[in-house]
């Protein structure tokens, strides 16, 4: 590997670490998230041009911030139609220029932490669509390029680029301030943030479409974002609940696919392959959520369910009655057809497939599950356990026709074939 390629790899690593703080700090200064990202990108281009010749500076984050601030000052000075506000911003930036190294030396400084937290809430602001929140979060806080986001979600790069551009325009038109939500709005805004992070994780945990069952990179990105959020909001139990859920779910990654990349169902997994470091981290986060007081929220309850699986040394030792009770609680605080489907599975495991099938059959007319491949998949599994193999085969085939993931489709067709009545 050449010295230039080593430097470029270093720049990429530095960018992933520093980009969120850089954009957050610049947004506070220029009051425009779109302009802040443009300035940060200009600084990255400058690093790509200069560092291969001069070497990576001792404090790369401070160097990038200094370049971005200088570009901002030049931009404001070049604008012949400067209004008073822009003139004030220009003076503020110029006066702050000398303090940049000190700011970045103190990486956990309250100002930087606050800036990051504000950026989290801007990227996931309820005024944006869910798709826009996910794309903007990965771009601003995950440090991913537009191409990387597009490849992760299997959509054309121009589509992601348009989502990001529209998101910035929407934020500007709505005049979303770079500030933390007031107390009365915090719950709704935080829910939006948690949803975006969990959507990113889920796409990595079980890919919607394509040839790969898992996309570990997205799980890693979501986990990193969740951990950062937990540091920024240490007194929010649902933040720790989400982190606990993702840590425990991610612990199974190596056991969830075969050497050829095919899915392995939970009860068939080799639990020796589960990552016990991640499990311990997840259980600790769950304890932290509980210690903050009050009843567990939706993410905390899902984490508690995941913890039941994590504590079982074998599939047979799983506390299915406890899991069913937790799903009862989840249905009370976050009722949805998908929750009811998962609850039916737990009840089937705890009390027999007949009881589970009865609940699943009640969901067959649910409009929101019409194209959800896991509904016929679960029904097929329960029918197979009851010996109704021909019906089970039809359900597995229907489930296979609904999924857009090639690995998932193959698994379902293999299960259908196993139900073939001779």
């Amino acid at each position: 590997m050449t010295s230039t390629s080593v430097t470029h790899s270093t720049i990429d690593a530095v960018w992933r670490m520093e980009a969120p703080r850089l954009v957050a700090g610049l947004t506070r200064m220029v009051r425009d998230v779109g302009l802040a990202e443009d300035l940060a990108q200009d600084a990255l281009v400058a690093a790509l041009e200069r560092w291969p010749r001069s070497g990576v500076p001792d404090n790369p984050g401070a160097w990038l911030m200094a370049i971005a601030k200088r570009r901002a000052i030049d931009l404001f000075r070049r604008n012949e139609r400067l209004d008073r506000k822009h003139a004030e911003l220009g003076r503020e930036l110029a006066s702050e220029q000398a303090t940049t190294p000190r700011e970045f030396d103190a990486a956990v400084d309250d100002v930087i932490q606050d800036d990051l937290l504000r950026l989290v809430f801007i990227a996931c602001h309820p005024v944006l669509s869910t798709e826009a929140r996910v794309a903007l979060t990965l771009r601003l806080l995950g440090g991913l390029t537009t191409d990387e986001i597009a490849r992760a979600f299997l959509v054309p790069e121009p589509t992601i680029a348009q989502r990001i551009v529209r998101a910035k325009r929407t934020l500007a038109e709505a005049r979303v301030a770079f500030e933390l939500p007031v107390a009365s709005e915090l719950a709704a805004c935080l829910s939006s943030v948690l949803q975006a992070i969990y959507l990113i994780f889920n796409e990595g945990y079980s890919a919607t479409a394509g040839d790969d069952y898992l996309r570990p990179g997205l799980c890693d990105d979501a986990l990193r974002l969740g951990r950062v959020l937990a540091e920024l909001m240490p007194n929010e139990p649902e933040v720790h609940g989400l982190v606990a859920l993702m840590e425990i779910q991610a612990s199974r990654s190596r056991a969830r696919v075969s050497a050829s990349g095919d899915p392995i169902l939970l009860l068939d997994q080799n639990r020796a392959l589960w990552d016990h470091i991640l499990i311990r981290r997840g259980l600790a986060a769950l304890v932290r959520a509980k210690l903050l007081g009050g009843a567990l929220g939706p993410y905390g309850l899902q984490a508690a369910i995941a913890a039941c699986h994590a504590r079982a040394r074998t599939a047979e030792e799983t506390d299915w009655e406890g899991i069913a009770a937790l799903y009862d609680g989840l249905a009370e605080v976050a009722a949805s057809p998908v929750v009811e489907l998962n609850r039916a599975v737990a009840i089937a495991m705890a009390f027999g497939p007949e009881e589970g099938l009865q609940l699943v059959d009640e969901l067959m007319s649910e409009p929101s599950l019409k194209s959800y491949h896991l509904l016929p998949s679960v029904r097929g599994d329960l029918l197979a356990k009851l010996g109704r193999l021909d019906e089970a085969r039809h359900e597995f085939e229907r489930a296979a026709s609904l999924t857009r993931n090639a690995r998932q489709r193959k698994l379902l067709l293999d299960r259908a074939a196993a139900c073939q009545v001779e």
Side-chain angles (χ1 to χ4, degrees):
M1 185 179 288
T2 66
S3 60
T4 299
S5 60
V6 170
T7 302
H8 281 176
S9 297
T10 302
I11 293 172
D12 182 63
V14 167
W15 177 252
R16 292 294 175 98
M17 290 187 293
E18 300 292 352
R21 294 190 299 166
L22 191 60
V23 174
L26 289 166
T27 302
R28 171 173 53 84
M29 296 168 195
V30 302
R31 278 66 153 183
D32 184 323
V33 69
L35 176 57
E37 193 193 5
D38 289 343
L39 293 168
Q41 292 287 337
D42 286 346
L44 174 63
V45 171
L48 289 167
E49 292 173 349
R50 299 184 199 178
W51 291 2
R53 297 193 306 270
S54 63
V56 178
D58 293 336
N59 194 333
W63 190 97
L64 290 167
M65 179 62 88
I67 293 296
K69 281 186 177 181
R70 198 173 303 142
R71 297 290 170 89
I73 293 167
D74 292 342
L75 176 66
F76 288 133
R77 284 176 176 169
R78 283 198 307 268
N79 190 340
E80 295 179 355
R81 294 173 296 175
L82 277 176
D83 59 20
R84 183 177 300 174
K85 182 178 179 181
H86 280 176
E88 290 174 359
L89 285 173
R91 286 194 294 272
E92 287 176 18
L93 286 168
S95 65
E96 288 181 5
Q97 189 77 351
T99 68
T100 296
R102 177 178 58 79
E103 288 178 0
F104 266 76
D105 282 337
V108 294
D109 183 82
D110 287 343
V111 173
I112 294 177
Q113 296 291 82
D114 286 349
D115 286 346
L116 275 172
L117 189 54
R118 291 185 186 102
L119 188 62
V120 168
F121 280 101
I122 281 184
C124 298
H125 198 281
V127 75
L128 301 175
S129 69
T130 300
E131 294 80 8
R133 291 176 210 160
V134 168
L136 201 57
T137 298
L138 285 172
R139 179 59 176 268
L140 299 182
L141 295 157
L144 274 66
T145 65
T146 304
D147 176 60
E148 287 171 327
I149 301 170
R151 281 190 279 113
F153 285 89
L154 299 180
V155 297
E157 185 176 355
T159 300
I160 293 296
Q162 288 172 5
R163 285 179 188 172
I164 292 172
V165 169
R166 288 195 194 108
K168 294 175 187 174
R169 186 186 306 131
T170 299
L171 291 172
E173 291 173 350
R175 297 183 179 180
V176 174
F178 188 62
E179 60 187 24
L180 296 177
V182 298
S184 60
E185 299 173 353
L186 181 61
C189 292
L190 181 58
S191 175
S192 177
V193 171
L194 298 178
Q195 180 193 41
I197 294 175
Y198 195 42
L199 282 171
I200 294 168
F201 180 85
N202 271 339
E203 185 59 30
Y205 189 73
S206 183
T208 304
D211 297 326
D212 297 318
Y213 185 58
L214 305 179
R215 296 203 183 97
L218 280 177
C219 290
D220 292 341
D221 288 328
L223 264 172
R224 187 172 72 253
L225 292 169
R227 290 165 183 163
V228 168
L229 187 62
E231 291 178 6
L232 296 173
M233 305 187 72
N235 297 319
E236 288 293 335
E238 270 293 78
V239 174
H240 298 293
L242 176 59
V243 171
L245 174 59
M246 294 191 296
E247 300 274 16
I248 297 172
Q249 297 283 59
S251 73
R252 305 176 197 150
S253 294
R254 284 187 300 164
R256 294 185 67 234
V257 291
S258 66
S260 60
D262 291 325
I264 300 175
L265 299 175
L266 176 61
L267 298 183
D268 298 327
Q269 289 171 16
N270 178 1
R271 299 188 177 211
L273 296 177
W274 287 4
D275 188 328
H276 292 279
I277 293 176
L278 288 180
I279 289 174
R280 286 196 294 273
R281 290 180 64 119
L283 295 177
L286 180 58
V287 168
R288 194 168 180 183
K290 291 178 178 178
L291 289 177
L292 287 169
L296 289 175
Y299 293 110
L301 285 167
Q302 290 177 77
I305 291 167
C308 286
H309 291 295
R311 293 189 182 104
R313 291 174 297 176
T314 65
E316 292 73 25
E317 292 180 19
T318 305
D319 179 12
W320 284 108
E321 290 190 21
I323 291 174
L326 286 168
Y327 270 117
D328 287 342
L330 184 59
E332 289 183 11
V333 300
S336 78
V338 171
V339 169
E340 287 300 323
L341 180 62
N342 289 326
R343 177 172 166 269
V345 171
I347 287 175
M349 296 299 296
F351 306 111
E354 297 91 346
E355 290 198 37
L357 183 61
Q358 182 178 346
L359 295 174
V360 170
D361 285 345
E362 292 174 2
L363 295 170
M364 293 301 290
S365 59
E366 171 59 44
S368 64
L369 297 181
K370 184 178 180 180
S371 300
Y372 190 53
H373 72 279
L374 290 181
L375 177 58
S377 174
V378 167
R379 191 167 190 270
D381 183 63
L382 296 177
L383 288 168
K385 288 178 178 177
L386 291 170
R388 295 161 60 177
L389 298 182
D390 193 47
E391 293 174 80
R393 177 173 58 84
H394 284 296
E395 290 298 321
F396 286 131
E397 289 173 347
R398 189 163 74 89
S401 71
L402 292 174
T403 183
R404 292 187 291 136
N405 184 280
R407 299 285 185 177
Q408 186 77 267
R409 186 181 305 112
K410 179 180 180 298
L411 172 66
L412 291 164
L413 290 176
D414 286 346
R415 300 192 74 190
C419 294
Q420 187 70 44
V421 178
E422 298 181 358

